[in-house]
Amino acid sequence: MPTANNSPQRFPDLGKLSVAILEHLVEPVLGKDAIQEIKKPLLNKQELDQVAEALSQTEKRFTRDGQDADLCYALLNLPLANLDSIDRAVKDFYQRPSNDSELVKVLITRLAEDYPQLPEARLEKAVSDYITILKEELVNVSPEVREKLATLAMLRTEKGIQKFIELQETLPGENSGINMTGGNMNVSGDVVGGDKYVLYQAARQAHPRTFTIPAPPRDFTGRTQEIDELVRLLTDGKRAAISGTISSLTGMGGVGKSTLASYVALQVAAEFPDAAMWIDLQGMNDNPLAPSEAMRQVILAFNPLEDLRKATDEELAQMYRAVLHGKRALIVLDNAHDAKQVRELLKADCAFIVTSRRQFVEQGLVLIRLDVLQENDARDLLRKLCARLTDQELAELTELCGKLPLALRIAGSHLGTRPNESAARYVEKLKQQRIELLSESDDGTLDVEATFALSYDRLDPETQRRWRFLAVFPAPFDSNAAAYIWKTELDQAEKTLGDLFRESLVEYNDGRYRMHDLLRDFARGRN
């Protein structure tokens, strides 16, 4: 196997890492004879050119968008002395880019050897960003990758979906298209003009409207136990051929329920080739989405020409169940208001993930209550958002943010985008104005106070008053203590505490309740 000490003559602009990937891809995938293509510009293999272009575009995007310029350069020019170590990793990655763990491991290990002084999390983020961009470029230009539905399912990014939609729109007729059956995406046809396909002999059996899961943040961190549990529930349910595995994620506002749901949905999307849909039930709005409207979304995703203008709720329910019957489909019902809102939706023959701040059990829901992040995961997230933070600053910010993902993201992004601002000074300001500062994000979409207010405003005035009183407890308390400060009977106190727990405004464990630190600050601000 040749080494990559110098960029090959044919591709003089590629860095060493790209050359290594290209060379180790050629022999196992394209054959030994094609190795000479890299050194000799006499022949012309289309796939080789496409992969080289993907690598080139990856380098440009990685260099342009990377937040760690020095590490970007180091990775792209990684001196891979032992090229055989990435042989299988590159082959496995190209044939199925969802299997990227070995390539990621090799690159991180090699970087760590050259830069032992750098934190592992910093190396991991650089490699993760590079691999993400490389996947997107390969899926857009390489027919070898584009022919695999599993790849698209696992690489479900907004850009990937848009490219998929654009590809569908180039189809010359209804009988031409993409055959998505048996876990593979079969694109057949001829290349026209080097980048456009004339497709034929494949009946259209799926449409991008049935694949609407949003991409989670690239710096998604932690939740290993919950991910494993959700993936197990969803995949076991599919293999057991039951009507659908139904999992419910609950927790306080800002804890990351929707983010986890999207991450898991993409992890298992290949298991549900007929549909992986996201429906926002708008449960925290004054007017949550009616179940019939959610059913319309699903029906029209499969049958966009269906005339539903005169359909009754009962007829919609029948069509909804019929269109999903026998389908290998996953539906995420995000931000549910209550059990009544999802009851009819859960009667369909498919798998579900339901997220809600309010805890409820319905139709065999497997309830998973999401807590704040573990200490190490919280610090890792902050480190990804702002690599310059010291261990002491990480510890203080993690505590001040209460390990709540929303708060951590606001604080970390604030410092990460302001390299001139002292992290130590920001920490001191947080100690004085925690809720105020954690309600200010650059784009205005992240707001701790507004997030908490959605739950608080759902309470009746008397329950709001009682909840605010609980802010006097700096530590866990029992129902007797709550009854005392509320001046009410124990039974009534326990009922109110139960209601607050159901709304994820207090936590409960072993007979004692507690308020999250940020919720306590919010409650004090409402007195």
Side-chain angles (χ1 to χ4, degrees), residues 27-66:
E27 180 171 343
V29 176
L30 303 180
K32 293 183 178 181
D33 292 342
I35 281 282
Q36 300 307 315
E37 288 263 343
I38 297 176
K39 302 297 182 182
K40 299 178 181 179
L42 301 177
L43 301 176
N44 177 29
K45 276 195 178 291
Q46 186 179 60
E47 185 174 349
L48 182 62
D49 288 338
Q50 289 179 325
V51 174
E53 176 64 19
L55 291 166
S56 177
Q57 290 300 318
T58 299
E59 289 190 4
K60 292 176 182 177
R61 288 179 55 194
F62 186 56
T63 303
R64 180 191 67 214
D65 301 337

Side-chain angles (χ1 to χ4, degrees), residues 281-291 335-337 341:
L281 295 180
Q282 303 169 30
M284 300 305 295
N285 293 0
D286 292 337
N287 296 301
L289 189 72
N335 195 14
H337 180 76
Q341 187 185 27

Side-chain angles (χ1 to χ4, degrees), residues 281-437:
L281 295 180
Q282 303 169 30
M284 300 305 295
N285 293 0
D286 292 337
N287 296 301
L289 189 72
S292 59
E293 290 303 313
M295 292 176 183
R296 286 177 188 271
Q297 292 184 27
V298 175
I299 295 168
L300 292 175
F302 285 94
N303 301 320
L305 301 181
E306 190 77 47
D307 186 355
L308 303 177
R309 288 174 293 179
K310 296 182 179 180
T312 64
D313 287 354
E314 183 177 350
E315 289 169 338
L316 286 171
Q318 291 175 349
M319 285 188 281
Y320 165 75
R321 292 192 293 268
V323 81
L324 288 171
H325 181 70
K327 296 288 197 303
R328 292 166 60 189
L330 168 66
I331 297 180
V332 179
L333 300 174
D334 184 46
N335 195 14
H337 180 76
D338 55 19
K340 182 180 179 181
Q341 187 185 27
V342 301
R343 185 167 298 142
E344 291 300 318
L345 294 168
L346 297 180
K347 292 181 180 180
D349 178 20
C350 65
F352 290 91
I353 300 176
V354 181
T355 75
S356 178
R357 295 192 192 185
R358 177 175 285 174
Q359 299 186 61
F360 55 83
V361 176
E362 181 70 26
Q363 293 279 336
L365 282 171
V366 178
L367 187 64
I368 298 177
R369 180 168 173 79
L370 210 57
D371 203 347
V372 296
L373 289 174
Q374 297 292 322
E375 179 82 18
N376 290 338
D377 292 335
R379 294 191 186 193
D380 286 346
L381 177 56
L382 282 172
R383 191 179 290 111
K384 290 176 181 179
L385 294 166
C386 185
R388 64 186 172 94
L389 295 173
T390 66
D391 288 343
Q392 181 179 348
E393 290 164 347
L394 287 169
E396 289 184 298
L397 282 171
T398 296
E399 181 179 359
L400 287 168
C401 292
K403 295 177 282 190
L404 185 70
L406 175 62
L408 292 165
R409 185 166 297 281
I410 292 172
S413 298
H414 178 91
L415 291 171
T417 56
R418 294 171 176 80
N420 61 314
E421 183 169 344
S422 166
R425 189 175 306 158
Y426 181 74
V427 167
E428 291 304 314
K429 288 193 296 183
L430 267 184
K431 292 177 180 178
Q432 305 300 321
Q433 300 173 282
R434 182 155 56 167
I435 289 293
E436 292 85 350
L437 291 179

